[in-house]
Amino acid sequence: MTRVAFADLGDERPFCVRGADGRDLVVVRLLEAGTDGGHVTAAFEHYRRE
């Protein structure tokens, strides 16, 4: 498991998460992170290779 700190993501900086089988990929963009460290808003795009 890998952890990504919100501070490392910056303004909508995307990162991807790949499924263990290599068939699924999710691109995640952080849209907003609350200053208290709890609330986040993110956009997800899911891709699947058949």
Side-chain angles (χ1 to χ4, degrees):
M1 181 167 83
T2 301
R3 294 176 187 240
V4 179
F6 294 134
D8 293 342
L9 298 178
D11 296 329
E12 296 190 27
R13 182 175 165 199
F15 65 96
C16 67
V17 179
R18 188 175 303 268
D21 65 1
R23 296 178 65 186
D24 292 293
L25 176 77
V26 176
V27 177
V28 183
R29 288 183 298 119
L30 179 66
L31 302 176
E32 181 181 357
T35 56
D36 61 359
H39 170 84
V40 297
T41 303
F44 300 86
E45 295 178 58
H46 177 245
Y47 301 92
R48 180 169 180 84
R49 182 175 53 168
E50 296 297 325

